Amino acid sequence: MPITANDPGRKSWLPVDKDSDFPIQNIPFGVFLTRDDIITVGTRIGDFAIDLGALHQLGYFNGIELTDDIFLQDTLNDFISDGKKTWRLVRNRIADIFDEKNTALKDNEAHYDRVIFTMDEIEMQLPVQVGDYTDFYSSKEHATNVGTMFRDPDNALLPNWLHIPVGYHGRSSSIIPSGINVRRPNGQTLPAGTDKPVFGPSKLVDFELEMAFITTDANDLGEPIPIDEAEDYIFGLVLFNDWSARDIQKWEYVPLGPFLAKSFASTISPWIVTMDALHPFKVESPKQEVEPLPYLRSKGKKSYDIKLEAYITPENGTPNCVTKSNFKYMYWNMSQQLAHHTSNGCPVKSGDMMGSGTISGPTPDSYGSMLELSWRGEKPLKLNDGTERKFINDNDTVTLRGYCQNSDVRIGFGECSTKILPALKM
Ligand code: CA
């Protein structure tokens, strides 16, 4: 079935700025509270939020097999469970409803008022109930930087790294949508030059510039997903800031890996951009230096050219772009990650979220964390207000942005933004 929603020549009767992340070719999915305090599944064109629950009740999805309440939900999990064919039919239909050649909704004032909101009238929610959250460690540049800093520059990558998409199971309970403030965590750390740990506010709070993919129900217990089918089970992508407390991490991570240094918060952008919308931006993955085992050999273009940026905005200050990276730098692609994740028979469900790992590029201005950008604090970054940052200060806001652009169209993710508040006094 063709992805007619992606037609680059299509224009909407809703006004869309030239630089908008959300032209009619995007049609992401999210969940929002309306001005009447009703929660609904929706999409976005330009700066307008569209209530898919209302559209469905008014008959605009007639002919597509959908349950009556599929969009009258506080999560997208059930819709995602319906599978790729339904996602594509719904996206194609939304494109037709808002195409400038079709003014049925535009000309029906009662319907228009029920369906369309301006962005300042609504409040974005978490788009899915995340059952399980896994974070990978799939950027070779990032793994090399961290290995160089903390172990041995000559053997920066551990022996398994070129053979396995390394990952760990995170906490889903602290995944939050953009716009929610986060307190600096308290935790146990070992001050430099001492052998007695202390408990108190982390001094080294850091962002991690990542993307995360969201899956549908993929497999039953005991049944691996073959790598050639893996992409069919991925619904879409969000920006992902995997907040990290480096001092807590350094003390706690041996031998079982990340724990409380990571689980205090992770922020996502609230609109899930579908794999269909990203299809025009597929690119080859980086050449793998060691041929992976057969179950991890992916064929064809399985990476995506998504430009990524991170900004720090001090309290009462203006944004400072501190890095520019790209999702295409990932050494292990999403198909490899999902095939590996299920290779032991572990089931993956609708709404599960898989983080990419920090996405660092090849140059120092493309690193995906303050740990790398300031090289452990040895090279502080200068901000436009004259202050310096080694890590993130109280009342700083960190904003991630991401978008794809070709000569026809720009498909973006909006923003993933969080302010760090002072720690609770213990
Ligand atoms: Ca991470």
Side-chain angles (χ1 to χ4, degrees), residues 144-173:
T144 303
N145 287 338
V146 173
T148 300
M149 271 185 256
F150 292 109
R151 284 188 305 271
D152 173 6
D154 296 328
N155 296 288
L157 291 178
L158 288 167
N160 62 3
W161 200 92
L162 293 171
H163 301 277
I164 290 178
V166 170
Y168 76 99
H169 295 110
R171 286 289 296 179
S172 53
S173 61

PDB file of all heavy atoms in Angstrom, residues 144-173:
ATOM      1  N   THR A 144      33.495   5.242  22.433  1.00  0.00           N
ATOM      2  CA  THR A 144      34.944   5.460  22.361  1.00  0.00           C
ATOM      3  C   THR A 144      35.365   6.616  23.279  1.00  0.00           C
ATOM      4  O   THR A 144      36.364   6.511  24.017  1.00  0.00           O
ATOM      5  CB  THR A 144      35.372   5.769  20.905  1.00  0.00           C
ATOM      6  OG1 THR A 144      34.946   4.679  20.078  1.00  0.00           O
ATOM      7  CG2 THR A 144      36.879   5.947  20.791  1.00  0.00           C
ATOM      8  N   ASN A 145      34.595   7.705  23.258  1.00  0.00           N
ATOM      9  CA  ASN A 145      34.920   8.843  24.133  1.00  0.00           C
ATOM     10  C   ASN A 145      34.885   8.435  25.603  1.00  0.00           C
ATOM     11  O   ASN A 145      35.793   8.752  26.376  1.00  0.00           O
ATOM     12  CB  ASN A 145      33.930   9.995  23.909  1.00  0.00           C
ATOM     13  CG  ASN A 145      34.171  10.706  22.588  1.00  0.00           C
ATOM     14  OD1 ASN A 145      35.260  10.642  22.022  1.00  0.00           O
ATOM     15  ND2 ASN A 145      33.153  11.387  22.086  1.00  0.00           N
ATOM     16  N   VAL A 146      33.825   7.724  25.985  1.00  0.00           N
ATOM     17  CA  VAL A 146      33.681   7.336  27.390  1.00  0.00           C
ATOM     18  C   VAL A 146      34.787   6.349  27.781  1.00  0.00           C
ATOM     19  O   VAL A 146      35.395   6.465  28.856  1.00  0.00           O
ATOM     20  CB  VAL A 146      32.269   6.744  27.645  1.00  0.00           C
ATOM     21  CG1 VAL A 146      32.161   6.173  29.052  1.00  0.00           C
ATOM     22  CG2 VAL A 146      31.201   7.819  27.432  1.00  0.00           C
ATOM     23  N   GLY A 147      35.070   5.398  26.889  1.00  0.00           N
ATOM     24  CA  GLY A 147      36.134   4.428  27.160  1.00  0.00           C
ATOM     25  C   GLY A 147      37.496   5.101  27.272  1.00  0.00           C
ATOM     26  O   GLY A 147      38.329   4.730  28.104  1.00  0.00           O
ATOM     27  N   THR A 148      37.716   6.117  26.456  1.00  0.00           N
ATOM     28  CA  THR A 148      38.987   6.856  26.489  1.00  0.00           C
ATOM     29  C   THR A 148      39.140   7.614  27.804  1.00  0.00           C
ATOM     30  O   THR A 148      40.198   7.602  28.423  1.00  0.00           O
ATOM     31  CB  THR A 148      39.041   7.855  25.302  1.00  0.00           C
ATOM     32  OG1 THR A 148      38.931   7.118  24.094  1.00  0.00           O
ATOM     33  CG2 THR A 148      40.331   8.656  25.306  1.00  0.00           C
ATOM     34  N   MET A 149      38.053   8.245  28.236  1.00  0.00           N
ATOM     35  CA  MET A 149      38.112   9.035  29.477  1.00  0.00           C
ATOM     36  C   MET A 149      38.287   8.166  30.716  1.00  0.00           C
ATOM     37  O   MET A 149      39.031   8.511  31.610  1.00  0.00           O
ATOM     38  CB  MET A 149      36.801   9.824  29.638  1.00  0.00           C
ATOM     39  CG  MET A 149      36.806  11.177  28.989  1.00  0.00           C
ATOM     40  SD  MET A 149      35.268  12.028  29.388  1.00  0.00           S
ATOM     41  CE  MET A 149      34.391  11.853  27.877  1.00  0.00           C
ATOM     42  N   PHE A 150      37.557   7.059  30.773  1.00  0.00           N
ATOM     43  CA  PHE A 150      37.476   6.318  32.030  1.00  0.00           C
ATOM     44  C   PHE A 150      38.307   5.052  32.064  1.00  0.00           C
ATOM     45  O   PHE A 150      38.501   4.472  33.114  1.00  0.00           O
ATOM     46  CB  PHE A 150      36.015   5.995  32.370  1.00  0.00           C
ATOM     47  CG  PHE A 150      35.229   7.230  32.712  1.00  0.00           C
ATOM     48  CD1 PHE A 150      34.258   7.723  31.858  1.00  0.00           C
ATOM     49  CD2 PHE A 150      35.502   7.931  33.881  1.00  0.00           C
ATOM     50  CE1 PHE A 150      33.567   8.874  32.170  1.00  0.00           C
ATOM     51  CE2 PHE A 150      34.809   9.080  34.202  1.00  0.00           C
ATOM     52  CZ  PHE A 150      33.835   9.563  33.346  1.00  0.00           C
ATOM     53  N   ARG A 151      38.782   4.575  30.885  1.00  0.00           N
ATOM     54  CA  ARG A 151      39.561   3.344  30.932  1.00  0.00           C
ATOM     55  C   ARG A 151      40.900   3.550  30.256  1.00  0.00           C
ATOM     56  O   ARG A 151      41.859   4.004  30.891  1.00  0.00           O
ATOM     57  CB  ARG A 151      38.775   2.183  30.298  1.00  0.00           C
ATOM     58  CG  ARG A 151      37.677   1.647  31.206  1.00  0.00           C
ATOM     59  CD  ARG A 151      37.051   0.379  30.648  1.00  0.00           C
ATOM     60  NE  ARG A 151      36.565   0.574  29.288  1.00  0.00           N
ATOM     61  CZ  ARG A 151      35.355   1.006  28.991  1.00  0.00           C
ATOM     62  NH1 ARG A 151      34.490   1.253  29.934  1.00  0.00           N
ATOM     63  NH2 ARG A 151      34.987   1.181  27.743  1.00  0.00           N
ATOM     64  N   ASP A 152      40.939   3.255  28.955  1.00  0.00           N
ATOM     65  CA  ASP A 152      42.234   3.185  28.299  1.00  0.00           C
ATOM     66  C   ASP A 152      42.060   3.670  26.858  1.00  0.00           C
ATOM     67  O   ASP A 152      41.334   3.044  26.083  1.00  0.00           O
ATOM     68  CB  ASP A 152      42.676   1.702  28.335  1.00  0.00           C
ATOM     69  CG  ASP A 152      43.948   1.467  27.533  1.00  0.00           C
ATOM     70  OD1 ASP A 152      44.542   2.449  27.049  1.00  0.00           O
ATOM     71  OD2 ASP A 152      44.319   0.287  27.392  1.00  0.00           O
ATOM     72  N   PRO A 153      42.698   4.786  26.497  1.00  0.00           N
ATOM     73  CA  PRO A 153      42.532   5.321  25.138  1.00  0.00           C
ATOM     74  C   PRO A 153      42.925   4.306  24.064  1.00  0.00           C
ATOM     75  O   PRO A 153      42.392   4.351  22.947  1.00  0.00           O
ATOM     76  CB  PRO A 153      43.487   6.518  25.097  1.00  0.00           C
ATOM     77  CG  PRO A 153      43.784   6.852  26.510  1.00  0.00           C
ATOM     78  CD  PRO A 153      43.609   5.593  27.313  1.00  0.00           C
ATOM     79  N   ASP A 154      43.827   3.377  24.378  1.00  0.00           N
ATOM     80  CA  ASP A 154      44.266   2.411  23.368  1.00  0.00           C
ATOM     81  C   ASP A 154      43.291   1.250  23.220  1.00  0.00           C
ATOM     82  O   ASP A 154      43.307   0.537  22.225  1.00  0.00           O
ATOM     83  CB  ASP A 154      45.648   1.862  23.722  1.00  0.00           C
ATOM     84  CG  ASP A 154      46.682   2.977  23.681  1.00  0.00           C
ATOM     85  OD1 ASP A 154      46.505   3.899  22.859  1.00  0.00           O
ATOM     86  OD2 ASP A 154      47.625   2.947  24.494  1.00  0.00           O
ATOM     87  N   ASN A 155      42.461   1.048  24.241  1.00  0.00           N
ATOM     88  CA  ASN A 155      41.442  -0.011  24.175  1.00  0.00           C
ATOM     89  C   ASN A 155      40.112   0.562  24.641  1.00  0.00           C
ATOM     90  O   ASN A 155      39.490   0.061  25.579  1.00  0.00           O
ATOM     91  CB  ASN A 155      41.841  -1.195  25.061  1.00  0.00           C
ATOM     92  CG  ASN A 155      43.108  -1.856  24.560  1.00  0.00           C
ATOM     93  OD1 ASN A 155      43.096  -2.520  23.534  1.00  0.00           O
ATOM     94  ND2 ASN A 155      44.213  -1.628  25.261  1.00  0.00           N
ATOM     95  N   ALA A 156      39.707   1.637  23.965  1.00  0.00           N
ATOM     96  CA  ALA A 156      38.533   2.377  24.450  1.00  0.00           C
ATOM     97  C   ALA A 156      37.260   1.533  24.389  1.00  0.00           C
ATOM     98  O   ALA A 156      36.415   1.604  25.275  1.00  0.00           O
ATOM     99  CB  ALA A 156      38.362   3.659  23.639  1.00  0.00           C
ATOM    100  N   LEU A 157      37.117   0.729  23.338  1.00  0.00           N
ATOM    101  CA  LEU A 157      35.926  -0.122  23.230  1.00  0.00           C
ATOM    102  C   LEU A 157      36.185  -1.451  23.922  1.00  0.00           C
ATOM    103  O   LEU A 157      37.241  -2.062  23.738  1.00  0.00           O
ATOM    104  CB  LEU A 157      35.595  -0.388  21.755  1.00  0.00           C
ATOM    105  CG  LEU A 157      35.102   0.798  20.931  1.00  0.00           C
ATOM    106  CD1 LEU A 157      34.863   0.361  19.478  1.00  0.00           C
ATOM    107  CD2 LEU A 157      33.829   1.407  21.510  1.00  0.00           C
ATOM    108  N   LEU A 158      35.221  -1.895  24.711  1.00  0.00           N
ATOM    109  CA  LEU A 158      35.358  -3.225  25.324  1.00  0.00           C
ATOM    110  C   LEU A 158      35.221  -4.287  24.229  1.00  0.00           C
ATOM    111  O   LEU A 158      34.663  -4.024  23.159  1.00  0.00           O
ATOM    112  CB  LEU A 158      34.304  -3.401  26.413  1.00  0.00           C
ATOM    113  CG  LEU A 158      34.598  -2.562  27.672  1.00  0.00           C
ATOM    114  CD1 LEU A 158      33.398  -2.516  28.595  1.00  0.00           C
ATOM    115  CD2 LEU A 158      35.817  -3.104  28.410  1.00  0.00           C
ATOM    116  N   PRO A 159      35.759  -5.502  24.494  1.00  0.00           N
ATOM    117  CA  PRO A 159      35.832  -6.508  23.420  1.00  0.00           C
ATOM    118  C   PRO A 159      34.483  -6.894  22.825  1.00  0.00           C
ATOM    119  O   PRO A 159      34.402  -7.303  21.666  1.00  0.00           O
ATOM    120  CB  PRO A 159      36.457  -7.732  24.120  1.00  0.00           C
ATOM    121  CG  PRO A 159      37.072  -7.217  25.364  1.00  0.00           C
ATOM    122  CD  PRO A 159      36.376  -5.949  25.740  1.00  0.00           C
ATOM    123  N   ASN A 160      33.386  -6.747  23.583  1.00  0.00           N
ATOM    124  CA  ASN A 160      32.073  -7.148  23.041  1.00  0.00           C
ATOM    125  C   ASN A 160      31.451  -6.099  22.124  1.00  0.00           C
ATOM    126  O   ASN A 160      30.524  -6.393  21.372  1.00  0.00           O
ATOM    127  CB  ASN A 160      31.107  -7.467  24.200  1.00  0.00           C
ATOM    128  CG  ASN A 160      30.852  -6.270  25.104  1.00  0.00           C
ATOM    129  OD1 ASN A 160      31.348  -5.172  24.863  1.00  0.00           O
ATOM    130  ND2 ASN A 160      30.088  -6.484  26.170  1.00  0.00           N
ATOM    131  N   TRP A 161      31.951  -4.856  22.175  1.00  0.00           N
ATOM    132  CA  TRP A 161      31.180  -3.732  21.622  1.00  0.00           C
ATOM    133  C   TRP A 161      30.923  -3.845  20.120  1.00  0.00           C
ATOM    134  O   TRP A 161      29.847  -3.512  19.633  1.00  0.00           O
ATOM    135  CB  TRP A 161      31.867  -2.388  21.947  1.00  0.00           C
ATOM    136  CG  TRP A 161      30.882  -1.256  21.841  1.00  0.00           C
ATOM    137  CD1 TRP A 161      30.117  -0.734  22.836  1.00  0.00           C
ATOM    138  CD2 TRP A 161      30.509  -0.549  20.651  1.00  0.00           C
ATOM    139  NE1 TRP A 161      29.285   0.247  22.347  1.00  0.00           N
ATOM    140  CE2 TRP A 161      29.506   0.379  21.008  1.00  0.00           C
ATOM    141  CE3 TRP A 161      30.908  -0.622  19.315  1.00  0.00           C
ATOM    142  CZ2 TRP A 161      28.908   1.232  20.091  1.00  0.00           C
ATOM    143  CZ3 TRP A 161      30.303   0.231  18.389  1.00  0.00           C
ATOM    144  CH2 TRP A 161      29.320   1.154  18.787  1.00  0.00           C
ATOM    145  N   LEU A 162      31.910  -4.326  19.363  1.00  0.00           N
ATOM    146  CA  LEU A 162      31.731  -4.415  17.901  1.00  0.00           C
ATOM    147  C   LEU A 162      30.915  -5.645  17.494  1.00  0.00           C
ATOM    148  O   LEU A 162      30.631  -5.839  16.308  1.00  0.00           O
ATOM    149  CB  LEU A 162      33.095  -4.434  17.199  1.00  0.00           C
ATOM    150  CG  LEU A 162      33.912  -3.133  17.294  1.00  0.00           C
ATOM    151  CD1 LEU A 162      35.319  -3.344  16.751  1.00  0.00           C
ATOM    152  CD2 LEU A 162      33.230  -1.995  16.540  1.00  0.00           C
ATOM    153  N   HIS A 163      30.512  -6.458  18.464  1.00  0.00           N
ATOM    154  CA  HIS A 163      29.758  -7.684  18.165  1.00  0.00           C
ATOM    155  C   HIS A 163      28.314  -7.653  18.649  1.00  0.00           C
ATOM    156  O   HIS A 163      27.481  -8.408  18.161  1.00  0.00           O
ATOM    157  CB  HIS A 163      30.461  -8.897  18.798  1.00  0.00           C
ATOM    158  CG  HIS A 163      31.858  -9.082  18.301  1.00  0.00           C
ATOM    159  ND1 HIS A 163      32.145  -9.728  17.119  1.00  0.00           N
ATOM    160  CD2 HIS A 163      33.050  -8.669  18.806  1.00  0.00           C
ATOM    161  CE1 HIS A 163      33.451  -9.723  16.919  1.00  0.00           C
ATOM    162  NE2 HIS A 163      34.027  -9.085  17.923  1.00  0.00           N
ATOM    163  N   ILE A 164      28.025  -6.796  19.641  1.00  0.00           N
ATOM    164  CA  ILE A 164      26.719  -6.789  20.308  1.00  0.00           C
ATOM    165  C   ILE A 164      26.211  -5.354  20.396  1.00  0.00           C
ATOM    166  O   ILE A 164      26.960  -4.480  20.818  1.00  0.00           O
ATOM    167  CB  ILE A 164      26.855  -7.308  21.768  1.00  0.00           C
ATOM    168  CG1 ILE A 164      27.167  -8.792  21.816  1.00  0.00           C
ATOM    169  CG2 ILE A 164      25.602  -7.030  22.574  1.00  0.00           C
ATOM    170  CD1 ILE A 164      27.356  -9.304  23.244  1.00  0.00           C
ATOM    171  N   PRO A 165      24.930  -5.099  20.044  1.00  0.00           N
ATOM    172  CA  PRO A 165      24.345  -3.806  20.420  1.00  0.00           C
ATOM    173  C   PRO A 165      24.112  -3.808  21.944  1.00  0.00           C
ATOM    174  O   PRO A 165      23.105  -4.303  22.427  1.00  0.00           O
ATOM    175  CB  PRO A 165      23.014  -3.754  19.664  1.00  0.00           C
ATOM    176  CG  PRO A 165      23.041  -4.896  18.700  1.00  0.00           C
ATOM    177  CD  PRO A 165      23.987  -5.919  19.272  1.00  0.00           C
ATOM    178  N   VAL A 166      25.090  -3.293  22.677  1.00  0.00           N
ATOM    179  CA  VAL A 166      25.055  -3.330  24.148  1.00  0.00           C
ATOM    180  C   VAL A 166      23.871  -2.504  24.664  1.00  0.00           C
ATOM    181  O   VAL A 166      23.596  -1.428  24.141  1.00  0.00           O
ATOM    182  CB  VAL A 166      26.384  -2.780  24.714  1.00  0.00           C
ATOM    183  CG1 VAL A 166      26.309  -2.580  26.222  1.00  0.00           C
ATOM    184  CG2 VAL A 166      27.541  -3.706  24.352  1.00  0.00           C
ATOM    185  N   GLY A 167      23.166  -3.019  25.661  1.00  0.00           N
ATOM    186  CA  GLY A 167      22.039  -2.281  26.231  1.00  0.00           C
ATOM    187  C   GLY A 167      21.773  -2.684  27.667  1.00  0.00           C
ATOM    188  O   GLY A 167      22.420  -3.600  28.197  1.00  0.00           O
ATOM    189  N   TYR A 168      20.831  -1.988  28.307  1.00  0.00           N
ATOM    190  CA  TYR A 168      20.404  -2.356  29.668  1.00  0.00           C
ATOM    191  C   TYR A 168      18.936  -1.992  29.815  1.00  0.00           C
ATOM    192  O   TYR A 168      18.402  -1.196  29.042  1.00  0.00           O
ATOM    193  CB  TYR A 168      21.254  -1.660  30.732  1.00  0.00           C
ATOM    194  CG  TYR A 168      20.923  -0.198  30.920  1.00  0.00           C
ATOM    195  CD1 TYR A 168      20.098   0.240  31.959  1.00  0.00           C
ATOM    196  CD2 TYR A 168      21.412   0.766  30.040  1.00  0.00           C
ATOM    197  CE1 TYR A 168      19.782   1.583  32.121  1.00  0.00           C
ATOM    198  CE2 TYR A 168      21.101   2.105  30.193  1.00  0.00           C
ATOM    199  CZ  TYR A 168      20.284   2.509  31.229  1.00  0.00           C
ATOM    200  OH  TYR A 168      19.963   3.832  31.375  1.00  0.00           O
ATOM    201  N   HIS A 169      18.280  -2.580  30.809  1.00  0.00           N
ATOM    202  CA  HIS A 169      16.873  -2.290  31.059  1.00  0.00           C
ATOM    203  C   HIS A 169      16.750  -1.105  31.991  1.00  0.00           C
ATOM    204  O   HIS A 169      17.279  -1.125  33.099  1.00  0.00           O
ATOM    205  CB  HIS A 169      16.177  -3.512  31.643  1.00  0.00           C
ATOM    206  CG  HIS A 169      16.132  -4.644  30.668  1.00  0.00           C
ATOM    207  ND1 HIS A 169      16.867  -5.791  30.820  1.00  0.00           N
ATOM    208  CD2 HIS A 169      15.471  -4.766  29.497  1.00  0.00           C
ATOM    209  CE1 HIS A 169      16.638  -6.585  29.770  1.00  0.00           C
ATOM    210  NE2 HIS A 169      15.812  -5.974  28.959  1.00  0.00           N
ATOM    211  N   GLY A 170      16.034  -0.078  31.547  1.00  0.00           N
ATOM    212  CA  GLY A 170      15.847   1.125  32.348  1.00  0.00           C
ATOM    213  C   GLY A 170      14.504   1.115  33.056  1.00  0.00           C
ATOM    214  O   GLY A 170      13.778   0.123  33.039  1.00  0.00           O
ATOM    215  N   ARG A 171      14.164   2.231  33.660  1.00  0.00           N
ATOM    216  CA  ARG A 171      12.888   2.396  34.349  1.00  0.00           C
ATOM    217  C   ARG A 171      11.933   3.164  33.456  1.00  0.00           C
ATOM    218  O   ARG A 171      12.270   4.224  32.935  1.00  0.00           O
ATOM    219  CB  ARG A 171      13.088   3.204  35.640  1.00  0.00           C
ATOM    220  CG  ARG A 171      13.757   2.449  36.738  1.00  0.00           C
ATOM    221  CD  ARG A 171      12.885   1.398  37.344  1.00  0.00           C
ATOM    222  NE  ARG A 171      11.697   1.927  38.010  1.00  0.00           N
ATOM    223  CZ  ARG A 171      10.776   1.153  38.590  1.00  0.00           C
ATOM    224  NH1 ARG A 171      10.908  -0.162  38.585  1.00  0.00           N
ATOM    225  NH2 ARG A 171       9.732   1.697  39.181  1.00  0.00           N
ATOM    226  N   SER A 172      10.702   2.649  33.285  1.00  0.00           N
ATOM    227  CA  SER A 172       9.724   3.383  32.485  1.00  0.00           C
ATOM    228  C   SER A 172       8.952   4.388  33.334  1.00  0.00           C
ATOM    229  O   SER A 172       8.371   5.330  32.801  1.00  0.00           O
ATOM    230  CB  SER A 172       8.760   2.410  31.816  1.00  0.00           C
ATOM    231  OG  SER A 172       8.197   1.559  32.776  1.00  0.00           O
ATOM    232  N   SER A 173       8.955   4.221  34.660  1.00  0.00           N
ATOM    233  CA  SER A 173       8.097   5.050  35.519  1.00  0.00           C
ATOM    234  C   SER A 173       8.529   6.505  35.572  1.00  0.00           C
ATOM    235  O   SER A 173       7.757   7.372  35.962  1.00  0.00           O
ATOM    236  CB  SER A 173       8.079   4.471  36.937  1.00  0.00           C
ATOM    237  OG  SER A 173       9.384   4.474  37.481  1.00  0.00           O
TER     238      SER A 173
END
